Amino acid sequence: MNWRFVSRPGLWLSVIVCIGVSRMPLAAEKLVGLQSAPSIAMALPWFAEEARLYPKYDLDFQLVYIASSGIVTAAMSGGNGAVALVGGEGPIRAFIGGNTDFVFIGSVKNVLTHSIMGKPEIKKPEDLKGKKIGVGRIGGNSHYFAVYGMRQKGMDLARDTNFIQTGGAPETFLALTSGAVDAASITTPQDTRAAYMGYNYVIDGRELKPPYVATGFVTLRSVIAKRPKVVSQFMHMMAESYKIMVTDRDLAFRLMAKKIGLTDRKVFDAAYSAELKVLEPRLEISPKAIQATLDEISRTDPRAKQVKAEQLIDRRFLEEMEKDGTFDRLGMK
């Protein structure tokens, strides 16, 4: 092959500049995510950080913990967070109230597995009458389950309930074990932890499993419109994080010990095994889970009857991962 070099004013400078630019690394996209509970189902960003997936997916990702889906929803409405792993009631109530920017783009868990754990002397639902029951916040997952579970057991919510807001999942567990409340609505792994300490499953969520978006991926339609590629990168990262979470039990145990202080291996193994049975390997969001929440809310807010579950769902990123082979490559079935 014969090469010819042509000299033109400014040509070599242009070539040098172009080469230099092509070798410069692209800046990672900043993305703030919110998490409403420190739990196994909401732990995917922890695994992504541990496996150094943020740079792999060109994300400068910051995770912020804010207890309760209602407060997460308020934060997102104010522009403080673009994506969230959150319980369903907060975003659904916001949508019903007119903020139709909120949308579910996937889910890790479409059933609630909270349980009401009680002191040793509290053994059956009737024993909860007049007792102080700890919930993270009114309107959050733990409160939703407490209301659902007690209604399923035939209790009069107006007469029999005495809910105490604790602030969040860790605080609820502490309130129970310190004696500040008589019973508490808590989820895995804290319920398993409490059981090993002698507390009773007064209302067992592992049996009820009410349909509900216990851990959904939520964003805003306005964010998708402005940053579709970034949201796609985030969801691809979450899919790989899920794969790591369900296949590396030792890493999962180390992260639970580090993040929430769960250092008892037998407690962790029991909680982890139970939780994996109800998670969504392809991050599917269930219309049935959203509809169940709409039906529950409609008891006190008639506007919920005018909303259909499908209005709150955007599956484009799930469909993208189905088409590009992400789930198949990760072995998620």
Side-chain angles (χ1 to χ4, degrees):
M1 181 179 293
N2 296 319
W3 294 92
R4 291 193 302 164
F5 294 90
V6 179
S7 177
R8 293 179 185 170
L11 175 63
W12 293 112
L13 177 60
S14 299
V15 172
I16 291 171
V17 170
C18 289
I19 292 174
V21 169
S22 68
R23 289 180 178 176
M24 291 176 61
L26 297 175
E29 291 279 358
K30 292 184 180 296
L31 185 66
V32 176
L34 307 181
Q35 174 198 50
S36 64
S39 65
I40 292 175
M42 293 195 184
L44 296 189
W46 299 346
F47 286 87
E49 180 181 29
E50 194 73 13
R52 296 178 174 80
L53 297 186
Y54 296 176
K56 177 178 178 179
Y57 288 93
D58 295 324
L59 292 176
D60 179 2
F61 185 72
Q62 178 187 4
L63 180 68
V64 180
Y65 166 59
I66 302 178
S68 157
S69 66
I71 301 178
V72 167
T73 302
M76 292 182 73
S77 296
N80 300 307
V83 294
L85 284 89
V86 66
E89 187 166 0
I92 292 173
R93 283 190 179 276
F95 190 98
I96 293 169
N99 192 343
T100 56
D101 206 14
F102 281 96
V103 65
F104 290 91
I105 55 175
S107 180
V108 182
K109 185 176 176 184
N110 289 309
V111 295
L112 269 183
T113 53
H114 280 68
S115 291
I116 295 182
M117 307 297 295
K119 291 178 177 179
E121 63 270 24
I122 300 176
K123 303 180 186 301
K124 55 187 184 297
E126 300 78 51
D127 296 338
L128 294 171
K129 293 180 180 180
K131 298 295 193 297
K132 292 182 290 186
I133 303 172
V135 297
R137 288 188 183 274
I138 302 300
N141 285 14
S142 60
H143 174 246
Y144 182 97
F145 176 80
V147 170
Y148 179 93
M150 295 179 76
R151 183 180 287 122
Q152 289 292 309
K153 297 300 179 180
M155 300 182 70
D156 186 324
L157 295 178
R159 184 189 63 210
D160 298 333
T161 57
N162 182 16
F163 294 132
I164 304 297
Q165 292 190 107
T166 62
E171 293 82 4
T172 306
F173 179 76
L174 181 61
L176 176 64
T177 55
S178 68
V181 296
D182 303 300
S185 178
I186 50 181
T187 191
T188 306
Q190 306 291 25
D191 61 338
T192 310
R193 199 175 186 179
Y196 273 90
M197 295 173 66
Y199 294 88
N200 296 317
Y201 282 93
V202 184
I203 299 180
D204 193 341
R206 300 170 303 177
E207 297 175 357
L208 294 179
K209 292 182 182 177
Y212 178 83
V213 185
T215 300
F217 292 111
V218 172
T219 187
L220 304 174
R221 289 183 167 88
S222 54
V223 170
I224 294 176
K226 294 175 183 176
R227 310 179 73 192
K229 182 182 177 186
V230 174
V231 179
S232 174
Q233 290 165 214
F234 169 75
M235 288 300 289
H236 279 76
M237 181 175 73
M238 290 296 94
E240 185 166 350
S241 299
Y242 183 93
K243 169 71 172 184
I244 296 169
M245 183 177 77
V246 301
T247 57
D248 195 334
R249 182 180 288 253
D250 289 337
L251 174 60
F253 173 63
R254 292 198 301 272
L255 279 175
M256 293 304 116
K258 176 182 176 181
K259 297 291 187 178
I260 64 175
L262 178 55
T263 57
D264 189 322
R265 185 63 190 244
K266 67 179 182 298
V267 173
F268 165 79
D269 283 336
Y272 178 83
S273 296
E275 190 74 344
L276 294 192
K277 294 177 182 177
V278 296
L279 301 186
E280 297 288 344
R282 296 173 83 94
L283 308 184
E284 189 59 62
I285 176 69
S286 167
K288 180 180 178 182
I290 294 176
Q291 190 60 52
T293 308
L294 288 168
D295 293 343
E296 183 66 31
I297 294 174
S298 71
R299 292 172 178 268
T300 55
D301 189 341
R303 295 176 299 176
K305 296 179 181 179
Q306 308 304 315
V307 178
K308 301 298 182 184
E310 289 74 16
Q311 294 174 251
L312 283 137
I313 297 173
D314 187 332
R315 294 192 71 258
R316 74 179 71 184
F317 302 108
L318 298 181
E319 291 171 358
E320 181 181 301
M321 288 189 284
E322 289 166 0
K323 290 177 181 176
D324 68 20
T326 294
F327 292 130
D328 292 335
R329 174 175 55 82
L330 294 171
M332 297 291 98
K333 299 180 179 179

